[in-house]
Every structure is written in C-alpha cells, then in structure tokens.
Amino acid sequence: MKAFFSLIARDLKLAARQGSAVALSLCFFVIVIVLFPLGVGPEMTVLARIAPGVLWVAALLACLLTLDRIFQADYEDGSLDQLVIGPLPLSFLVLAKVIAHWLTSVLPLIIIAPVLALSLNLASDGVIAVTFALLIGSPTLSLIGAVGAALTMGMRRGGVLLSLLVLPLYIPVLIFGVAAVEAAVAMLPMAPHLLLLGGMSLGALVVGPLAAGAALRLALE
Amino acid sequence: MAIDLHKYANPRRFLAITSAIYPWSLALTVILLAAGLYTGLFVAPPDYQQGETVRIMFVHVPAAWMGLMIYTFMAVASAVGLIWKHPVADLSAKAAAPIGACFTFLSLVTGSLWGEPMWGTWWVWDARLTSMLILLFLYLGYIALWQSFDDPSKASKAAAILALVGVINVPIIKFSVDWWNTLHQPASVATMSGPKIYSSILTPLLIMGLAYTAFFVTLLIIRVRAEILARRLRILQLSELQER
C-alpha cells in the first residue's frame, strides 16, 4: 500500500514540477471548444443545443492527447523496468499511474468545464450535470486509455494508432455522458445515466488495470 | 478437453484436418449460397410494404450477424491463444479479422442501399448503424495493431488483449436495440417469443446465414494455412541465413 501511494505521489510531484504539460492540455481543451462557436456560428440557441456534446468530445480528445504520458516517459528513461521489478503487483502499478494521470490531466479539465459550459450558453442545470457526469464518467477514459497506452508503448507512430484503438471504446461514455446532460437540461431525471456511467467506470476499474498490466509485461519482455 | 485442444493445436495436424474439411466447406458454401440467393431473390415474395427492396435483407442481415460472430470468434481464439499459448489460435484470430471487417463493411453498405428507398436517407445516426460502424473501427484497430509490431509473437499477444477488451463492446451492440430502440426496427428473429418473421422470408435468411458461415470457414482455412506456411517459410529463411 505504501508503494502504491508513493508512486502516485511521485507522479504528482513530477507533473507539478513540469507544470507546462497540464497547462498545455488545458489550452487544448479550451481551444477545441472555442473552435466550435467559430465553426457553427455564434447563435446562442444552437450553441446551447450542442454544448454537452462539444464539451464531452473536447474532454475525450484532451484526455486522448495526454494518454501517452502515462507510461511513455518512464519507459524511455528505464524507470518503468525498475517499477515492474519492485514490490507492487503490475495491475496496482497501472492503477497508481492511472490515478495520477486522472488527477493531473483530467481533473483540471473538469474544473474549468463549468466555465466553458457557461460560455456555450448551457442552462445552469446542465452545467451542474456536465460536471457530475465528467466526474463520474472520466475515470473510464483514463482506465481504458491506459490499456491503449500500454499496448502502443515504445512504438514509433503510437499516437495515431492509440486514437484508433481507444476512441471506439470511449463511445459508450460519450453517449451516456451527453445523455445525462441533456436529461438535466430537459428537467428529466439524470440519475439513470449517471448510474450507467458509474457502472462503466467500475467495470473499467476491473478490466483496465488487468489488461494494461498484461500489455506492460508484454512490452517489457 | 485441454488435452484435445493441444492435440488439434499442433500446426501439422491442423493442416491435415483442415485440408480434409476444406473441399466440403467449399462445396457447402457454393450450394448454400446458390440456394439462399435463389430462394431469396426469386422464391421469396416481395414485402407488402417494402416491395422488392426487402431482398437486400437477405444479403444485409446475415452479413451483420457474421460481423458480430467473427468478432466473438476472434475474442475466443485470442483468449485461447493467450491462456494456452497456441500459435494456431493466434493465427486464426489474425486471419479472421479482415474477413470480419469485410462482412461488417458489407452490412453497412447494403444497409445504406436499403435505407435510401425505405427511410429516404443513406445514413441515419441510429444506435444499431452506429454500433456496426464502431465494430468496423474495432476491426481496423485490431488489424492496425497486428501490423505495427515487427515480432509476430508480441503482436499476437497485444492484439489478443485488445480483442478481449473490445469484445465488451459486442454485447453493447447486440442489446443496443433494446436500449435505444430508435429508427431501426427492433430485433425480429431472435426474440423471446420466437421469430416474428413469416417463414417464406425467414428460410432464405437462415440459408444465407449458413452460407456465409460456410464461406467464412472456407476463407478462414485458406488464410490460416497461408499464415502457417508463411511462418514456416520465415523460419526456413532465417535458418538458411544462419547457416551461411
């Protein structure tokens, strides 16, 4: 357990000292969302209509861009080999890495999402809903993403392949995440969608670390 | 059970068995395909609402079944390959992927050809169509992952992990009809209360399904044999290089 938490603390410390990475993914998130009003026009009703989808798609893409950070740097400087030899079981190692990734790369997106939602003229119920839906659904993104990141680790053109592997698996999260926000805007109960998102997160919590651990062992053979 | 599997996993025995099965599966494919197409295109009556376009269904529905079935097959073969480290299972999964991708693509194309006269549009963002499209992307990702490794044994394991993670998506596709139930018609063959289609339509549909399955088996045998031979050739070439 101590090794688990110290690994998370190490990754958080690393991310804090290279702060530019977090800022860059935030900038990407904001700029993707800014592109939509420019693309579809500034009409407020249209923007309010597409806001949930735009926020979720931008969050998906921003998360995708940061996935290679989970293992790549440690793989390149060799510390991943050391970690694998260490006392921590492989799936817990992955879980610690995923938690650190979620805290450093996804949580900042969720924190600024309400502001962007307001700028897209989303109703206030929707703003609360999108925050909750992102909080509950986004762990799935990191967990599934870790599998893709472990599979493509060390590849030369891993980034493009990673998006092809991971984005289809993200689609259920996108669908229910957007459905939750739209239900909240339409004054319908959003609990079922949030429960489904939570269920997917829990399922990914079981499958993700196991699969990513197997992929890591394979890549380091 | 495990012992039997080991026996059939021997590539040489696999080659011997499949070369015995191959002519039968080829003949079955030809006969069933001819019978299915004849009953589907000439015998089956036109639908009172859809008219002659209903015949597209005989090509479309079995292709969609095959798309799903082959992905499941791939996942099972991947699991067997991962657990018992059978090279033939890995190769079967690899060989099945492009066939499955083609069937999925066929179902999307024929579905869109059917949708134009029926729904008045080539494509709707309905749950089922979308999930078949996702299935196509899953296939493409799987094939791309195979191709991006130099070492075939590493590639097979990585692809197996991906197939097992992706297979979670197959039930989502299957039950998406009940979850979202939008424009696409709800499941009408495998419902709890038995098939809802009249037998004049159902029979050609099932014959076509069997024909596609036989076709898949035939193609799979050809492709797996080619993979085994290619691997042997590679080993021979490597040993020749070492001898020099």
Side-chain angles (χ1 to χ4, degrees), chain B residues 21-22 25 29 66 99 211-223:
Chain B
I21 297 175
Y22 176 69
S25 73
T29 307
M66 293 307 290
I99 311 176
Y212 277 18
T213 313
F215 182 53
F216 166 63
V217 171
T218 311
L219 276 185
L220 186 70
I221 288 174
I222 297 175
R223 291 185 57 88

Side-chain angles (χ1 to χ4, degrees), chain B residues 64-80 89 92-93 96-97 100-101 104 135 138-139 142 160 163-164 166-174 216:
Chain B
W65 287 344
M66 293 307 290
L68 289 168
M69 202 190 80
I70 294 174
Y71 200 86
T72 317
F73 168 84
M74 251 168 57
V76 172
S78 300
V80 171
S92 316
T104 311
L135 184 69
L138 285 177
Y139 274 120
Y142 180 88
L164 289 179
V167 81
I168 297 166
N169 211 46
V170 170
I172 296 180
I173 292 165
K174 185 77 188 97
F216 166 63

Side-chain angles (χ1 to χ4, degrees), chain B residues 12 95 126 153 170:
Chain B
R12 181 177 298 174
D126 158 72
S153 72
V170 170

Side-chain angles (χ1 to χ4, degrees), chain A residues 151 155 161 165 171 175 215 218, chain B residues 141 148-149 154 157-158 162 180:
Chain A
L151 283 174
M155 279 183 192
L161 181 62
L165 299 186
I171 287 170
I175 288 172
L218 175 73
Chain B
S148 47
F149 280 93
K154 258 189 180 181
K157 278 185 203 154
L162 181 70
W180 287 295

Side-chain angles (χ1 to χ4, degrees), chain B residues 96-155:
Chain B
I99 311 176
C102 288
F103 273 122
T104 311
F105 185 68
L106 181 69
S107 81
L108 284 172
V109 170
T110 51
S112 132
L113 288 177
W114 178 85
E116 211 285 323
M118 283 301 108
W119 294 337
T121 168
W122 295 102
W123 180 265
V124 284
W125 289 98
D126 158 72
R128 244 188 176 184
L129 275 77
T130 315
S131 42
M132 280 315 271
L133 190 63
I134 299 167
L135 184 69
L136 183 65
F137 283 124
L138 285 177
Y139 274 120
L140 294 181
Y142 180 88
I143 298 169
L145 190 65
W146 256 103
Q147 286 173 348
S148 47
F149 280 93
D150 297 327
D151 177 7
S153 72
K154 258 189 180 181

Side-chain angles (χ1 to χ4, degrees), chain A residues 11-218:
Chain A
D11 276 14
L12 291 181
K13 215 180 279 175
L14 275 175
R17 297 202 176 148
Q18 313 166 327
S20 65
V22 177
L24 278 179
S25 71
L26 273 180
C27 285
F28 176 81
F29 185 56
V30 174
I31 221 159
V32 167
I33 287 175
V34 167
L35 287 180
F36 275 91
L38 294 175
V40 298
E43 207 176 314
M44 282 313 216
T45 48
V46 178
L47 286 183
R49 175 72 195 73
I50 62 168
V54 169
L55 283 166
W56 266 100
V57 170
L60 245 62
L61 293 178
C63 177
L64 180 76
L65 272 192
T66 54
L67 283 180
D68 63 330
R69 232 185 284 153
I70 302 183
F71 300 117
Q72 194 70 27
D74 283 347
Y75 175 69
E76 276 163 7
D77 67 11
S79 45
L80 195 59
D81 291 280
Q82 302 290 325
L83 288 171
V84 169
I85 297 168
L88 211 52
L90 217 47
S91 36
F92 281 94
L93 192 161
V94 171
L95 190 60
K97 286 273 188 197
V98 166
I99 290 172
H101 169 261
W102 189 79
L103 287 175
T104 57
S105 304
V106 183
L107 196 58
L109 305 182
I110 301 176
I111 292 170
I112 62 161
V115 181
L116 293 167
L118 282 175
S119 79
L120 290 176
N121 192 29
L122 194 63
S124 55
D125 288 326
V127 176
I128 299 165
V130 83
T131 317
F132 270 108
L134 277 170
L135 268 177
I136 297 173
S138 60
T140 320
L141 306 182
S142 289
L143 285 162
I144 296 177
V147 181
L151 283 174
T152 56
M153 192 176 68
M155 279 183 192
R156 270 156 303 179
R157 286 186 306 273
V160 187
L161 181 62
L162 182 61
S163 57
L164 182 58
L165 299 186
V166 166
L167 281 181
L169 302 174
Y170 278 0
I171 287 170
V173 182
L174 173 68
I175 288 172
F176 289 114
V178 173
V181 183
E182 285 181 344
V185 172
M187 301 290 177
L188 294 170
M190 61 171 182
H193 306 289
L194 292 184
L195 287 175
L196 277 168
L197 281 177
M200 279 192 273
S201 283
L202 291 175
L205 186 66
V206 178
V207 178
L210 274 179
L216 272 191
R217 189 174 297 126
L218 175 73

